[in-house]
Amino acid sequence: MDPVHQLIITATAILVTAALGQILAPRIPVPLILIYLALGVVLGPSLLGVLAVDELGAVLPAAVRLAVAIIVFEGAFSLETHYLRQVRRPVRNLVTLGLAVTVVGGLLLAHFVAGLPWSLALLYGALVSVTGPTVITPLLQRVRVNGRVRTTLAGEGIIIDPIGAVAALVVYFVVTAEQQQAIHLVRWVLERLVVGALWGLLGGLILLLLLRQLRLDSSQTSRLLTIGGAALIYTSIDTLIPDAGLAAAVAAGLLLGNLEFPHREEVHRFAGDITVIVIATVYLLLAASLDPDVLVRLGWRGPLTVLGMMLLVRPLGVVLSTAGTLLRRRERAFVAAIGPRGVVAASLATLLSLNLRAAGVPGGDALLGLVFLTIVITIAVQASYADWLARRLGVLPMDILIVGAGRVGRMLAEQMLALGEDVTMVEPNPEHAEQARELGARVVVGDGTDVAVLERAGIAQAKTVVAATASDKDNLLICQLARTRFGREQVVARVTDPEAVPSFEELGIQVMNPARSSAMILANLIRRPNLFRLLSEVSVDGADVTEVVVRNPAVGGTSLKGLGLPKDVLVLLLRRGGQRLIPHGDTVVEPGDVVTLVGSRRSTEQAAERLLG
């Protein structure tokens, strides 16, 4: 067949397979990337021969490198820096200390278990030191976790990509003796990381100024300019300094993703759509280029090496990297259990194995097979238990959506963030939006009565929606949308006019009217000042008051004293149906009861887990 026609068939097969993967992913309990890898092997030269990777020649590595740059840029563009500031220490440690632990652990396992020579074992450790946004992002879209965990995993995956890639290339140069002197290696690394990052910041700043100054009426032009600019930033520096493009893509993505410019949300969605096609292309082509016989020759040693990486090396690296940080014990456990490898490891392994073969270094195929086996097993196993583990460890987000970032909305957001909740705010005023970002909230700039804006803010996943604008009319519309269109049950509204309160209460919406609330507060200060002061200051003293709906069937019919709750937790109130019960030790708990707890935050969390199951 004509080579040109074969390439046309290959491109068509990739587009069709990408669409097919999107259709299958929600319907079968298999990660999307595994679908692409399996289809790549089936459609590759080893079986059906639809994907003509042998005809691509130099096009394959070039396409993979540019695709990885776009993926990394989109991942950095999506990274929320307000959370990144909170977890900067664990992320910093994971991309330094954690990377070193992974390289050393991979070296030992690949040599003593898989049987690779020391040089290739070291190269394996460097190649699998990266997680990457191509696997972390889809996983976090399927499994919802709180902001600290999400940003720790996403931040590690995005930032470690260029660092791990450079580390792998350094090891390759040492193995092939292309760099002899240590000073040359140090200079080589600095050029690719520091100069690349500076170039990315400069290019990102120029692109940002263009997007702001041109004030393009068409969002399509903004989308194309952003993606084209990102590709230009990568290509220009990678041409001048080979392998510096990834650091530039990360830096440019971080800059653009966290500053405002016209049509920013449309650009974000477009970049995500482009990334879907790019990810499919990369995994299909790389899987098609793999010889299945290599995996067979590895035998049991290959899977055992990967299990060692998952059960020993990854947990050790996370424990050392997150010790003494703000991450809670259960959050650290989840991060330790999640570390799938992705496209950067696959693409670099493919390129370096070809180079090793050309340089006459034996073992390149075994190295490639072991890396691909690591990718497949880590994705398959960790994606299968991630959702269950998130629920078991209690790292699911509360997700509070506050519409209106005025003074009241910001004060509420500040209190919720202090309690460790995930807060998203919707605000049309850029100044108020920036003030909300400084608190640490995720902010969507736009009109809170616009359905599209609410969807972008994640109202479909929010557990609580708060309408806190200064307009009762807008707040009522927001509450109606939250209830009727998005099916949100817990909806709270700020109502400034007392006469408007009945309109909200008819919809079953909890309201806060300043006049009514002020009168209640004053009454409480007069009648029960000590109790009111306790409830007002409880969060400041490191304690917490929380309500829990009993969901655990195992505690049904058990008395309070038989539950084994922490000793410093007090059960203040128990509501069953329309009744309010004053609890005592012999009070029996039933599923569906609403229990009010007071105690230290850690103890109330433990008690809540016992009642929730």
Side-chain angles (χ1 to χ4, degrees):
M1 186 182 295
D2 179 20
V4 174
H5 194 65
Q6 283 186 326
L7 293 178
I8 293 174
I9 294 175
T10 298
T12 303
I14 289 172
L15 292 175
V16 172
T17 306
L20 179 63
Q22 294 295 316
I23 294 172
L24 292 176
R27 291 171 171 80
I28 58 176
V30 178
L32 180 59
I33 291 173
L34 284 185
I35 296 175
Y36 289 149
L37 289 173
L39 290 175
V41 173
V42 172
L43 298 175
S46 301
L47 293 176
L48 298 181
V50 176
L51 298 178
V53 291
D54 295 337
E55 301 292 337
L56 293 176
V59 174
L60 177 60
V64 169
R65 292 177 66 172
L66 184 58
V68 171
I70 293 174
I71 294 168
V72 168
F73 172 81
E74 193 275 335
F77 191 94
S78 305
L79 192 62
E80 299 166 343
T81 54
H82 61 273
Y83 281 122
L84 189 57
R85 286 194 294 269
Q86 296 178 21
V87 297
R88 59 182 179 275
R89 184 179 172 191
V91 170
R92 179 199 64 198
N93 293 346
L94 283 170
V95 302
T96 52
L97 177 60
L99 184 143
V101 171
T102 304
V103 172
V104 174
L107 163 69
L108 297 176
L109 286 171
H111 179 72
F112 289 108
V113 178
L116 295 183
W118 282 109
S119 58
L120 294 185
L122 179 59
L123 191 53
Y124 168 79
L127 284 169
V128 298
S129 64
V130 295
T131 53
T134 58
V135 282
I136 291 296
T137 300
L139 188 147
L140 294 179
Q141 288 172 347
R142 293 176 61 246
V143 181
R144 299 181 61 250
V145 293
N146 66 43
R148 285 188 299 271
V149 173
R150 181 178 65 248
T151 308
T152 299
L153 288 169
E156 176 198 12
I158 292 166
I159 296 173
I160 206 172
D161 264 359
I163 298 175
V166 169
L169 291 171
V170 168
V171 172
Y172 168 78
F173 288 142
V174 172
V175 170
T176 58
E178 290 189 22
Q179 295 279 357
Q180 299 288 346
Q181 300 180 10
I183 187 66
H184 291 162
L185 283 175
V186 172
R187 186 180 66 187
W188 190 91
V189 171
L190 290 177
E191 285 178 349
R192 273 124 192 100
L193 292 181
V194 178
V195 176
L198 291 175
W199 185 270
L201 290 174
L202 177 62
L205 183 60
I206 294 173
L207 185 55
L208 176 67
L209 293 175
L210 281 173
L211 290 167
R212 285 179 173 178
Q213 295 300 320
L214 292 177
R215 297 187 178 275
L216 300 168
D217 294 331
S218 170
S219 62
Q220 181 182 34
T221 308
S222 295
R223 297 196 298 264
L224 293 175
L225 179 60
T226 303
I227 295 298
L232 178 60
I233 291 170
Y234 168 83
T235 305
S236 57
I237 190 62
D238 212 64
T239 302
L240 297 173
I241 305 176
D243 304 308
L246 277 183
V250 170
L254 284 172
L255 178 71
L256 287 167
N258 291 278
L259 294 174
E260 291 298 330
F261 57 86
H263 310 296
R264 179 180 177 276
E265 296 299 329
E266 289 84 353
V267 169
H268 189 186
R269 287 200 299 272
F270 178 69
D273 293 339
I274 292 292
T275 301
V276 169
I277 299 175
V278 169
I279 289 176
T281 302
V282 170
Y283 280 107
L284 286 168
L285 291 178
L286 293 181
S289 65
L290 178 67
D291 184 1
D293 291 339
V294 174
L295 302 181
V296 175
R297 289 196 295 269
L298 284 172
W300 60 267
R301 294 175 176 271
L304 187 60
T305 301
V306 179
L307 289 177
M309 294 294 296
M310 294 169 56
L311 300 177
L312 298 175
V313 178
R314 174 65 177 179
L316 177 61
V318 171
V319 167
L320 295 176
S321 300
T322 59
T325 66
L326 291 176
L327 290 182
R328 299 170 183 172
R329 178 173 55 87
R330 292 172 178 266
E331 294 169 341
R332 296 169 64 193
F334 186 84
V335 174
I338 303 297
R341 270 48 189 171
V343 70
V344 172
S347 59
L348 280 175
T350 302
L351 297 174
L352 296 185
S353 67
L354 294 174
N355 292 342
L356 288 172
R357 188 184 307 167
V361 179
D365 290 341
L367 172 67
L368 178 62
L370 189 57
V371 171
F372 266 85
L373 199 61
T374 304
I375 294 169
V376 172
I377 293 178
T378 54
I379 294 174
V381 174
Q382 294 177 356
S384 65
Y385 65 60
D387 185 60
W388 171 85
L389 186 64
R391 298 178 184 277
R392 183 68 182 85
L393 294 176
V395 296
L396 299 175
M398 182 173 179
D399 278 354
I400 299 173
L401 175 61
I402 302 174
V403 183
R407 182 176 300 176
V408 173
R410 295 199 304 273
M411 291 177 66
L412 174 61
E414 187 174 17
Q415 293 189 33
M416 292 296 99
L417 288 166
L419 294 173
E421 309 296 353
D422 282 359
V423 176
T424 299
M425 305 192 75
V426 176
E427 173 59 46
N429 187 316
E431 183 179 350
H432 290 170
E434 187 58 34
Q435 291 173 344
R437 281 199 185 94
E438 292 174 358
L439 295 176
R442 173 177 174 258
V443 180
V444 174
V445 179
D447 183 358
T449 62
D450 187 333
V451 172
V453 173
L454 293 175
E455 288 178 337
R456 291 205 306 269
I459 191 173
Q461 291 80 38
K463 293 187 177 180
T464 303
V465 178
V466 182
T469 74
S471 168
D472 290 346
K473 181 180 177 181
D474 287 348
N475 287 342
L476 182 60
L477 177 56
I478 292 164
C479 293
Q480 288 174 329
L481 289 172
R483 270 292 170 83
T484 60
R485 178 142 188 172
F486 296 101
R488 300 300 89 194
E489 295 182 1
Q490 189 167 350
V491 182
V492 183
R494 168 196 179 192
V495 184
T496 56
D497 184 0
E499 295 183 359
V501 170
S503 300
F504 288 82
E505 292 180 338
E506 288 174 1
L507 293 173
I509 297 166
Q510 294 178 298
V511 300
M512 191 286 295
N513 174 248
R516 182 186 295 182
S517 300
S518 298
M520 291 176 61
I521 291 171
L522 290 171
N524 278 309
L525 286 172
I526 293 171
R527 297 185 59 199
R528 48 186 76 86
N530 292 329
L531 178 60
F532 184 75
R533 188 177 298 111
L534 170 66
L535 294 175
S536 300
E537 297 177 355
V538 68
S539 61
V540 179
D541 296 332
D544 194 15
V545 177
T546 185
E547 283 188 345
V548 180
V549 179
V550 179
R551 303 292 188 193
N552 187 358
V555 305
T558 306
S559 65
L560 287 175
K561 64 183 180 183
L563 287 177
L565 301 180
K567 294 182 179 180
D568 59 341
V569 169
L570 177 65
V571 181
L572 289 179
L573 185 67
L574 188 147
R575 285 186 291 145
R576 180 175 298 155
Q579 293 182 315
R580 289 181 173 83
L581 307 177
I582 304 301
H584 50 79
D586 294 325
T587 300
V588 174
V589 176
E590 299 293 346
D593 290 349
V594 181
V595 179
T596 303
L597 306 170
V598 63
S600 68
R601 288 179 190 165
R602 182 179 295 275
S603 297
T604 54
E605 286 177 359
Q606 293 173 353
E609 290 170 4
R610 171 71 172 141
L611 296 172
L612 289 170

